[in-house]
Amino acid sequence: MIKFENIKLNFDGKIIFNDFNIEVNQGEKLVIIGDSGAGKSTIFNLILGFIKPDNGVVYINDLSVKPQNINKIRKQISYIPQNVNIPFDTAKDLFQSQFLYSKIKLPSESTIKKIFDDFNLKYDILEHQLSSLSGGEKQRVLLIASIITNKKILLWDEPTSALDQKNKDILMKYVKKMSEITILSISHDDFWINNATKVVKL
Amino acid sequence: MKGAIDISWVSIGLGYLILTIPFLLFRYYKLNLIKDSTIAILRMTLQLYLLGFYLEYIFKLDNIFVNITWIIIMILISVSTTIKKSKVSFKFYFIPLLSSLTFVTILTLLYFIGLMIGAEYFFNTRYLIPIVGILLGNSIQSNIIALNSFNSKLKSEYHLYLFAIANGASKYDALLPFMKHALIQALNPMIAMTAVVGLISIPGMMTGQILGGSSPFLAIKYQIVTMISVFFAKSLIIVLTLNFTNRFIFDEMGNKKI
């Protein structure tokens, strides 16, 4: 469970959160919506410990986001940023990063091939230079990696921004099967928002 | 062998005169380097002159406490020069730099004077002061390159670092690509220089020794042990400096403070 308890946060003299409270139960698919600058990414930053609230506590599965817990918390999370232009050499480096960072064993090649196939990606795309992939391909590579890490919490920033409807449908099919996994996402995509179990407007 | 021929002050004056040519070139290309060059050359002259007086004095004195004080001063000057030239914060970098330079200097001296040269008296000024000078002088440059490379890559690719820690990487693992980059940038010039020594470059220390009357073979042996020591010291100082500074420039949550 993810819990924001009485969060207060000012940034550059502007009030971002004033007594903000929210609870996200395990397995929920929460989408955060709102205008730019409303604090959508700040929610992720608070969960990941990149920003410290002025007041209040964020809990991730009963662990407060504090220095003594932060490594344990981050190991439970798979995070995909909005900008997937991360400086890796090959698509494989990008894909494997999700496993190597938290020292998770990679699934079998057949499992990976199957899901790549489902997402209309050739398996050998992993050998390509990352710079040669389109935005949509990079996004799918990261989403696949994120899904098969089997981590309990997924934080996805605009996960469908570079996907066509066919791939959105496939992604949603997988998401619906992940009943134990909590997914928090930021989105402007009506299709994605309409399929959420909970929507928070900031 | 005889000692080197003395150079008169008139000859040294002639030496300064030849600098008018690079200065005219600086002016021609509007490089804006004349002021900095003049200050650097005046500083070099004054510092070496004072060093000459000082060395003359401490060589005669050969006192352990004076030598240690001199080494401490050299380390402090190296630290402050590195901080200034790398344009980093004194608050975060002073202790890491001081620790790594002091630790590696002591370790290298123990190995160099104690084991390789096998001097009877460890604190012998004749060995101690020039060797510390060579070690620190060489390490300043590579340390500056390492810090600049590390900090500029971290600045431009901070999102990669955040991506790594957000996905469960330890701070150490997340910083590894940045460490590797800084080490390669800082150590490559030294490796290249080491490979061509004797072919293209004739090291200053060796030249000095030969001019001072030593046999070329003795000068070569000293040059080899000096280069090995510099290689060791530079590599270790960079690794320790980067690791120590990473304890100061990030907060408990792994976010960069500055």
Side-chain angles (χ1 to χ4, degrees):
Chain A
M1 189 178 76
I2 299 168
K3 191 174 167 189
F4 281 62
E5 200 175 80
N6 311 118
I7 298 295
K8 278 186 184 166
L9 181 71
N10 289 297
F11 202 72
D12 282 343
K14 187 185 162 194
I15 298 168
I16 307 288
F17 295 121
N18 191 12
D19 207 22
F20 179 72
N21 292 280
I22 186 177
E23 274 189 34
V24 188
N25 293 316
Q26 190 183 346
E28 275 199 283
K29 312 293 181 264
L30 177 127
V31 180
I32 305 151
I33 59 171
D35 297 333
S36 69
K40 300 188 295 295
S41 300
T42 310
I43 291 194
F44 282 8
N45 289 334
L46 285 164
I47 293 172
L48 292 165
F50 293 159
I51 295 176
K52 195 175 164 227
D54 299 324
N55 198 24
V57 187
V58 178
Y59 292 95
I60 312 293
N61 292 335
D62 297 327
L63 288 173
S64 57
V65 179
K66 293 273 163 68
Q68 62 271 26
N69 300 324
I70 195 67
N71 287 339
K72 265 188 210 164
I73 290 171
R74 286 174 182 158
K75 278 190 193 302
Q76 298 176 39
I77 294 172
S78 166
Y79 165 66
I80 301 183
Q82 182 179 6
N83 178 3
V84 288
N85 286 324
I86 301 155
F88 287 109
D89 288 338
T90 64
K92 192 184 211 167
D93 295 332
L94 177 69
F95 179 76
Q96 291 188 342
S97 66
Q98 287 281 327
F99 303 88
L100 296 175
Y101 285 146
S102 42
K103 306 197 186 328
I104 300 172
K105 204 173 161 243
L106 259 109
S108 67
E109 199 177 300
S110 59
T111 309
I112 301 171
K113 271 183 178 164
K114 162 83 177 56
I115 189 166
F116 266 66
D117 199 38
D118 287 348
F119 274 90
N120 303 303
L121 280 175
K122 285 186 178 158
Y123 181 67
D124 67 7
I125 200 171
L126 289 177
E127 303 304 326
H128 293 192
Q129 285 295 307
L130 191 59
S131 54
S132 70
L133 269 64
S134 69
E137 285 169 331
K138 283 183 206 168
Q139 197 163 38
R140 276 179 282 163
V141 166
L142 257 183
L143 284 165
I144 292 170
S146 183
I147 289 166
I148 60 176
T149 54
N150 277 326
K151 286 192 174 181
K152 296 288 172 234
I153 298 165
L154 312 182
L155 303 182
W156 293 347
D157 198 344
E158 300 286 358
T160 56
S161 61
L163 300 187
D164 55 22
Q165 191 54 46
K166 193 174 156 193
N167 282 309
K168 283 183 197 176
D169 289 336
I170 296 156
L171 178 63
M172 191 48 73
K173 197 180 94 189
Y174 269 91
V175 165
K176 296 229 157 137
K177 276 195 247 172
M178 296 153 69
S179 57
E180 294 297 303
I181 312 292
T182 311
I183 304 178
L184 263 72
S185 56
I186 296 167
S187 185
H188 287 95
D189 179 354
D190 288 340
F191 168 78
W192 189 255
I193 297 164
N194 292 337
N195 279 283
T197 58
K198 194 186 243 180
V199 176
V200 171
K201 186 174 186 322
L202 295 177
Chain B
M1 271 194 197
K2 282 182 189 172
I5 302 164
D6 191 14
I7 304 175
S8 69
W9 288 108
V10 176
S11 306
I12 290 178
L14 280 174
Y16 285 119
L17 206 60
I18 203 169
L19 290 174
T20 46
I21 294 170
F23 278 29
L24 285 171
L25 287 171
F26 294 167
R27 201 175 150 184
Y28 176 76
Y29 286 108
K30 297 189 175 104
L31 294 182
N32 215 8
L33 288 175
I34 295 177
K35 192 181 157 198
D36 284 352
S37 304
T38 310
I39 292 170
I41 288 157
L42 286 175
R43 271 189 65 165
M44 177 269 289
T45 309
L46 187 70
Q47 283 159 199
L48 287 178
Y49 201 71
L50 289 173
L51 181 72
F53 270 118
Y54 179 78
L55 288 180
E56 189 91 24
Y57 174 71
I58 62 163
F59 271 57
K60 275 182 196 151
L61 205 64
D62 204 1
N63 179 290
I64 178 173
F65 297 107
V66 176
N67 290 349
I68 290 173
T69 310
W70 182 241
I71 290 172
I72 292 170
I73 292 169
M74 283 204 278
I75 290 176
L76 288 172
I77 292 170
S78 304
V79 171
S80 67
T81 308
T82 309
I83 290 174
K84 209 171 146 192
K85 293 282 174 195
S86 314
K87 294 187 177 96
V88 291
S89 149
F90 189 84
K91 186 179 155 193
F92 296 117
Y93 285 80
F94 180 74
I95 292 173
L97 278 165
L98 184 68
S99 321
S100 62
L101 284 176
T102 308
F103 176 72
V104 178
T105 302
I106 293 170
L107 199 66
T108 316
L109 285 177
L110 283 173
Y111 199 80
F112 191 92
I113 302 179
L115 202 68
M116 289 167 94
I117 298 177
E120 282 175 23
Y121 174 51
F122 182 77
F123 291 99
N124 192 326
T125 315
R126 199 175 142 203
Y127 297 106
L128 202 64
I129 301 299
I131 291 164
V132 173
I134 288 171
L135 287 181
L136 293 175
N138 276 282
S139 300
I140 288 175
Q141 193 196 9
S142 50
N143 237 356
I144 292 169
I145 298 173
L147 287 175
N148 282 342
S149 311
F150 182 84
N151 286 330
S152 68
K153 193 173 169 70
L154 189 60
K155 194 176 173 190
S156 64
E157 292 180 6
Y158 191 55
H159 59 298
L160 170 65
Y161 169 76
L162 290 181
F163 177 72
I165 60 168
N167 283 295
S170 64
K171 190 177 82 185
Y172 178 83
D173 285 339
L175 288 175
L176 261 185
F178 302 95
M179 291 273 292
K180 281 184 186 172
H181 172 76
L183 276 164
I184 289 168
Q185 294 293 315
L187 295 177
N188 259 343
M190 177 182 73
I191 294 166
M193 279 298 291
T194 308
V196 297
V197 78
L199 286 176
I200 299 168
S201 64
I202 299 177
M205 186 184 120
M206 201 178 127
T207 314
Q209 241 183 317
I210 294 170
L211 287 174
S214 293
S215 88
F217 277 109
L218 183 64
I220 283 164
K221 283 182 193 164
Y222 268 91
Q223 190 57 44
I224 291 170
V225 282
T226 309
M227 291 197 73
I228 291 170
S229 305
V230 168
F231 203 109
F232 165 79
K234 267 191 180 184
S235 315
L236 200 60
I237 284 173
I238 297 169
V239 170
L240 291 181
T241 301
L242 292 176
N243 274 299
F244 290 163
T245 48
N246 289 343
R247 291 176 178 272
F248 285 77
I249 60 171
F250 292 91
D251 66 17
E252 308 158 292
M253 304 286 253
N255 302 311
K256 202 165 182 287
K257 287 183 196 166
I258 41 169

